[in-house]
Amino acid sequence: MKFNGFLLVIALLLFSCNEATDNLLDKVIPEPDTLEVGIKNNTNYRFKRTEIISNNNTYVYQVIKPDAISNFIEMAFI
């Protein structure tokens, strides 16, 4: 019986610490307003038109050469 009570106390402490840590991290490290997304072409092929489709927008990257990185486009979410 004492062991079950001990486990209950430990579980409660872990859950309360987890919530406090999450709240602290949210205040210290704010969420970014936008994302900057780029595409790296690791293949030997030339990408002529690459699209990223989100709920309300389509972002188009034009030509991306082999072993190259595209320009970065700002997005609200992906």
Side-chain angles (χ1 to χ4, degrees), residues 44-57:
N44 293 327
Y45 300 101
R46 181 177 174 199
F47 295 164
K48 293 182 181 176
R49 180 182 169 96
T50 305
E51 297 181 0
I52 295 179
I53 301 171
S54 68
N55 289 346
N56 56 355
N57 287 329

Side-chain angles (χ1 to χ4, degrees), residues 11-56:
L12 289 174
L13 287 174
L14 288 175
F15 284 118
S16 64
C17 292
N18 190 16
E19 186 175 330
T21 305
D22 289 344
N23 291 337
L24 180 65
L25 288 177
D26 287 343
K27 291 178 185 174
V28 173
I29 305 171
E31 298 256 342
D33 293 334
T34 59
L35 302 170
E36 291 187 7
V37 178
I39 298 174
K40 181 175 182 185
N41 182 358
N42 293 0
T43 68
N44 293 327
Y45 300 101
R46 181 177 174 199
F47 295 164
K48 293 182 181 176
R49 180 182 169 96
T50 305
E51 297 181 0
I52 295 179
I53 301 171
S54 68
N55 289 346
N56 56 355

Side-chain angles (χ1 to χ4, degrees), residues 47-75:
F47 295 164
K48 293 182 181 176
R49 180 182 169 96
T50 305
E51 297 181 0
I52 295 179
I53 301 171
S54 68
N55 289 346
N56 56 355
N57 287 329
T58 300
Y59 302 95
V60 178
Y61 294 88
Q62 295 300 329
V63 176
I64 306 172
K65 296 178 182 175
D67 295 321
I69 299 174
S70 70
N71 294 331
F72 287 83
I73 298 177
E74 281 191 25
M75 303 177 190

